Amino acid sequence: MLNNIKTQVAIQSVLIIGLLIYIGWQEFAGSQRENVKLGNVGEDEPSVTTAPKNLEGTPEVIMTPAGYKAFTVPIPQQVNFVGETISLQEPDLRERLDREIHVNANWHSNTILMIKRAQRWLPTIEKILEENDVPTDFKYLPIIESGLVEHARSPKDAVGFWQLLKGTAKDFGLEVNKEVDERYDPVKSTEAACKYLKKAHAKFGNWVNVAASYNIGMRGFERRLEEQKINSYFDMLLNEETARYFFRLVAMKMIMENPEAYGFYIDPQERYYQPEFKVVTVTETIDDLVEFAHTHGVSYKILKRYNPWLRKPELTVKRNTYQILISQDPTEQYNPTVQVSD
């Protein structure tokens, strides 16, 4: 009898505690909903906003009591790459683009930086592609390769915007040694990449295949075509990285061409721009690039910022001549009279 009473008391106590917790939670949730409604989500929390409704294809914004925003992006029935219309009726293809769109549209910090850097470099890259008769959609390829980071280096020692291996770079005319590595030169590496892309197009006859081959290499791509007795990237069974590669390229193209439709609102003044440059042609060996930089009114840091292909503090000139960019931005000029206090 006593045991039954103790059991009943214990059950009632649990129920009362549970009821109190529930009531407390309801009061807390109600206050949070009121805060969200009023935009009072704390000093460190953004106020709740909704995406403009007048943009075609604007993502659906989902609100939660805590003010968290997530969205889904409508996936089109077809996409365009270098003038070719690509149907996404096949579920596999549609889901591969779906993945890349949502990864990049929701990886906010990374995609914001891509958009900011694009303003600095894409006009130059696009001009070089046009001059070499390569479709300008390939300007998005260095974005997915390196994030437009000049010093990018992969675990396999592919470097620069276009992530060129040493042997490939030399095959396409770049100088690579201890003092000079033109894979880090955005202009010269783009010119070398154009040679690769045109050679791949002559082999595969299709720009989609060319784009995919950039990830796996011409020989590797050709071998898989032969092994699987097909002629299209879209019919190929591939490793995950290469399977995702082309659709990552298309997703980045879609976001870069219309960032507002994917929730990215970046003021033009917040984007990165190139300064004006003075071009210095170097025909003789420079023993000290630090002094060279100071002579031309910039610090060694600024000299290397715009000439990342200079790998040592000296430059030996034998047969080649070199062009060094000197920033003319007043805020980047070197002032030797300013001393750092002890």
Side-chain angles (χ1 to χ4, degrees):
M1 182 67 176
L2 183 59
N3 288 336
N4 288 337
I5 293 174
K6 288 182 176 179
T7 300
Q8 290 177 5
V9 171
I11 293 173
Q12 289 174 354
S13 298
V14 171
L15 291 174
I16 291 171
I17 292 171
L19 180 61
L20 291 173
I21 292 173
Y22 176 76
I23 292 172
W25 168 251
Q26 289 298 310
E27 291 178 352
F28 174 78
S31 66
Q32 289 298 301
R33 283 193 293 272
E34 187 64 19
N35 281 341
V36 170
K37 189 182 299 182
L38 298 174
N40 301 323
V41 291
E43 294 181 354
D44 296 329
E45 294 290 334
S47 59
V48 176
T49 58
T50 56
K53 298 299 183 183
N54 60 339
L55 286 175
E56 183 179 353
T58 297
E60 175 187 356
V61 178
I62 303 170
M63 299 300 178
T64 70
Y68 175 76
K69 300 185 287 293
F71 59 80
T72 57
V73 179
I75 304 302
Q77 297 297 314
Q78 60 187 32
V79 293
N80 184 282
F81 181 74
V82 298
E84 180 179 343
T85 299
I86 301 162
S87 172
L88 298 175
Q89 295 298 317
E90 184 180 329
D92 172 60
L93 304 183
R94 188 174 182 81
E95 289 178 21
R96 281 153 71 181
L97 179 61
D98 194 357
R99 177 180 183 178
E100 301 309 322
I101 282 286
H102 281 90
V103 165
N104 288 284
N106 286 283
W107 192 4
H108 300 123
S109 59
N110 184 72
T111 302
I112 286 171
L113 290 174
M114 297 306 99
I115 295 170
K116 288 187 173 186
R117 292 174 189 148
Q119 185 66 44
R120 175 188 291 154
W121 281 113
L122 287 199
T124 298
I125 292 173
E126 183 172 7
K127 182 174 183 290
I128 295 171
L129 293 172
E130 288 177 342
E131 291 172 348
N132 286 273
D133 296 321
V134 174
T136 55
D137 277 355
F138 279 95
K139 66 187 176 185
Y140 302 108
L141 197 148
I143 293 178
I144 68 170
E145 281 285 336
S146 65
L148 294 178
V149 174
E150 292 91 336
H151 295 282
R153 177 182 289 271
S154 78
K156 295 182 179 180
D157 287 332
V159 303
F161 275 7
W162 295 86
Q163 290 291 278
L164 297 170
L165 293 168
K166 183 176 181 179
T168 304
K170 289 187 172 183
D171 287 345
F172 290 102
L174 297 185
E175 182 178 353
V176 182
N177 55 51
K178 291 182 178 180
E179 289 188 359
V180 172
D181 190 339
E182 292 180 333
R183 292 178 295 172
Y184 290 100
D185 185 322
V187 171
K188 290 190 175 182
S189 65
T190 300
E191 292 170 345
C194 285
K195 294 176 182 178
Y196 173 96
L197 296 170
K198 293 178 73 172
K199 182 176 180 179
H201 189 261
K203 177 181 286 291
F204 301 121
N206 178 291
W207 288 113
V208 172
N209 286 352
V210 169
S213 78
Y214 198 89
N215 176 253
I216 200 172
M218 275 187 266
R219 293 176 184 173
F221 192 82
E222 184 176 34
R223 184 168 62 251
R224 284 161 180 77
L225 289 177
E226 294 172 352
E227 290 172 350
Q228 298 179 32
K229 300 178 180 179
I230 53 175
N231 57 17
S232 170
Y233 166 77
F234 299 121
D235 297 320
M236 189 180 295
L237 179 65
L238 291 162
N239 64 73
E240 183 179 11
E241 181 183 347
T242 308
R244 295 180 61 182
Y245 190 79
F246 174 75
F247 290 96
R248 185 179 296 129
L249 176 61
V250 172
M252 191 55 67
K253 172 180 183 278
M254 293 169 66
I255 293 171
M256 287 286 177
E257 288 183 342
N258 192 7
E260 292 84 2
Y262 299 93
F264 296 98
Y265 301 90
I266 301 175
D267 191 289
Q269 294 183 348
E270 295 179 355
R271 302 188 184 212
Y272 303 150
Y273 291 86
Q274 288 283 35
E276 295 292 327
F277 291 115
K278 176 178 70 175
V279 180
V280 178
T281 300
V282 177
T283 59
E284 298 180 353
T285 295
I286 301 173
D287 295 323
D288 188 345
L289 282 171
V290 174
E291 287 300 324
F292 174 86
H294 292 179
T295 299
H296 289 279
V298 296
S299 66
Y300 184 54
K301 180 193 78 169
I302 296 301
L303 182 76
K304 290 292 295 289
R305 173 175 169 82
Y306 299 111
N307 301 275
W309 53 273
L310 292 168
R311 308 310 296 169
K312 296 288 184 179
E314 63 270 353
L315 177 62
T316 302
V317 179
K318 295 180 180 178
R319 296 185 300 274
N320 297 337
T321 60
Y322 302 96
Q323 291 189 326
I324 294 180
L325 303 179
I326 306 296
S327 172
Q328 299 300 288
D329 185 335
T331 67
E332 293 183 321
Q333 301 308 296
Y334 174 67
N335 185 352
T337 63
V338 176
Q339 300 294 327
V340 178
S341 59
D342 295 332

